[in-house]
Amino acid sequence: MIHIKNVDKQANNELLFQATKLNVNGGDIVGVLGDNGAGKSTLMKMIIGDDMDYTGSITADGLIEYVPQFNNDGRAESGGQQMKRSILEALKRQPDILILDEPTSNLDMANQEWLIQVLKHFNGTLILVSHDEFFLTAMANSLWVFNNQEVQQFQMGYQEYQKKIEHQFSDDLKKYNDSRRHAQKLRFEAQKKVQHGDRIKREHNSLKADSLQAKLHKQGNSMQMRADELSNVARPKVKKSLKLQHTMDVRAQTIVVRVVDEDVLSPDGRVLIREPQLVLRGNDKILLSGVNGVGKTMFIQHILNKLSLQQKTKVGYFDQKLDNLDEHATVLENVLSTSVENEQIARDFLGAMGIRREMIYQKVATLSGGQRVRTSLVKALLTQANLLILDEPTNFLDLSAINALHDFLVQYHGAVILVSHNQQFVSDLEFTNFVIENERLVEM
């Protein structure tokens, strides 16, 4: 169906990625993984023929339908609605190959389940660009992985691939530690050889002693050279954990949110949630869930309006509207403007969220939509807050950034209100779940 051979793709006169050999057969379901900016969407455009600026060969047989990622950019139709409609329209055309770019990023959990069932009944070939571990686990039987400017194919599902990566890391770490120990031992033995040769020379001033000293020095030098080789074995890379240096003094019993017995209304006056009751203390962390349109975002706005009465509550708030960004300031200036953290901490957080080093001095106005979202998220996280309110923070994050955010939230010393439809992310966090259903807020 699709055959890719010896492809090199350049961007800005630099290598973006290369793919030596990738194959897709009829009925395959390929998950496409990689960090933001690695070239995943670019490769999809190359496959459908929209981008021909590369070397190598790409052949694809049959009718291809491509559904790109959508963002809620202020239209009446949300990103999730656009995605769902576009997928249904693509399926009606009965393609041989269906390519979906981040299809679950704006779908609630019910619609994610709907999508999985729809795609499982699709008889053609699927290529799924996604950072959604739950979705990849449910769907993919083959993977294209972007890593270090290469695209590799793995004939396995996502969970098997994750186990492979974990085992590879363990093996590499053992190899690194064994090499260091062996190198240390060799250096010690090399030193003993040299010292032994020198002692023989001092005690026996003869040609035989000279010869033996030279022999022992040579052996010592060989050991030293071998130790140096072993020292060159690279340590497996470990993602730096994200930690704030300046955290607010949070007491476990301090009330940071109190919402009691007041209906939450839609803009047109319709009741969304009747008499909700929610009290959060110092380090409570909750998930706010429910289907799209049930009132999660309106409830968050309701909470924010009430927080003016909580003098001890300082909020770091993130949503997809990006209201906290100054387009005329740089990325770094935006983040530091509301933070007491130092520049290195800001750089660490931005890097973990996929904002590369050369981007931090760019004006926000020059960034893509996804880059703006990630900048806004970092700004919210680095606000000196004792309450984080995060509305769909994982949209536009790659898997490494999602994992970094997970680890940060676990160790964060404060309260958290999280809205997210990323099933694997919320499952791993294990926050207390509050569900909005039937116009009620219910603790599960």
Side-chain angles (χ1 to χ4, degrees), residues 236-377:
K237 291 183 179 179
V238 180
K239 297 285 186 182
K240 182 185 286 189
S241 61
L242 299 178
K243 293 183 180 179
L244 300 175
Q245 287 189 343
H246 303 279
T247 56
M248 293 189 67
D249 183 20
V250 180
R251 297 183 179 180
Q253 295 306 310
T254 299
I255 293 176
V256 293
V257 173
R258 183 193 295 275
V259 177
V260 180
D261 295 339
E262 184 177 334
D263 292 350
V264 177
L265 306 178
S266 67
D268 61 3
R270 179 171 54 89
V271 174
L272 296 173
I273 311 171
R274 296 187 183 278
E275 300 181 347
Q277 298 193 30
L278 179 66
V279 177
L280 297 185
R281 291 179 168 83
N283 51 16
D284 289 342
K285 298 176 181 180
I286 71 165
L287 171 70
L288 185 61
S289 59
V291 299
N292 282 345
V294 77
K296 299 185 295 295
T297 298
M298 291 304 301
F299 185 45
I300 286 176
Q301 292 300 322
H302 185 79
I303 291 172
L304 289 169
N305 292 336
K306 296 295 181 184
L307 286 179
S308 60
L309 303 177
Q310 303 294 132
Q311 295 181 353
K312 295 183 179 180
T313 303
K314 304 297 181 184
V315 182
Y317 174 52
F318 167 82
D319 65 10
Q320 300 286 327
K321 295 179 181 177
L322 314 182
D323 292 337
N324 64 345
L325 294 180
D326 177 359
E327 290 201 344
H328 302 293
T330 68
V331 169
L332 190 60
E333 287 168 347
N334 266 279
V335 171
L336 293 178
S337 66
T338 53
S339 177
V340 296
E341 301 294 335
N342 62 42
E343 182 174 320
Q344 187 56 55
I345 296 294
R347 287 172 175 270
D348 290 345
F349 273 71
L350 287 165
M353 296 301 148
I355 303 297
R356 297 188 296 275
R357 183 179 305 172
E358 64 272 18
M359 292 181 187
I360 67 172
Y361 298 113
Q362 289 182 221
K363 303 287 188 185
V364 165
T366 69
L367 301 180
S368 69
Q371 290 163 352
R372 293 187 190 199
V373 168
R374 299 196 293 275
T375 299
S376 178
L377 175 59

Side-chain angles (χ1 to χ4, degrees), residues 175-187 223-236:
K175 181 180 178 181
Y176 170 77
N177 289 329
D178 288 348
S179 296
R180 286 179 62 86
R181 283 193 292 268
H182 193 193
Q184 188 176 15
K185 182 178 180 181
L186 282 173
R187 288 193 178 96
M223 288 180 174
Q224 183 63 47
M225 290 175 62
R226 177 58 181 153
D228 291 342
E229 291 176 2
L230 290 170
S231 296
N232 289 330
V233 174
R235 181 185 180 92

Side-chain angles (χ1 to χ4, degrees), residues 186-197 220 223-224:
L186 282 173
R187 288 193 178 96
F188 178 72
E189 293 297 328
Q191 187 177 25
K192 285 176 61 178
K193 290 279 187 183
V194 171
Q195 290 173 346
H196 184 44
M223 288 180 174
Q224 183 63 47

Side-chain angles (χ1 to χ4, degrees), residues 141-178:
N141 57 29
S142 177
L143 300 172
W144 289 354
V145 180
F146 285 69
N147 188 36
N148 295 326
Q149 297 177 303
E150 286 190 73
V151 190
Q152 292 181 293
Q153 183 160 5
F154 295 87
Q155 296 294 346
M156 61 186 68
Y158 181 74
Q159 286 191 331
E160 186 179 351
Y161 170 73
Q162 286 298 108
K163 290 177 182 177
K164 176 182 175 66
I165 294 300
E166 290 169 5
H167 289 155
Q168 185 66 55
F169 177 83
S170 297
D171 291 345
D172 290 346
L173 185 60
K174 183 178 185 302
K175 181 180 178 181
Y176 170 77
N177 289 329
D178 288 348

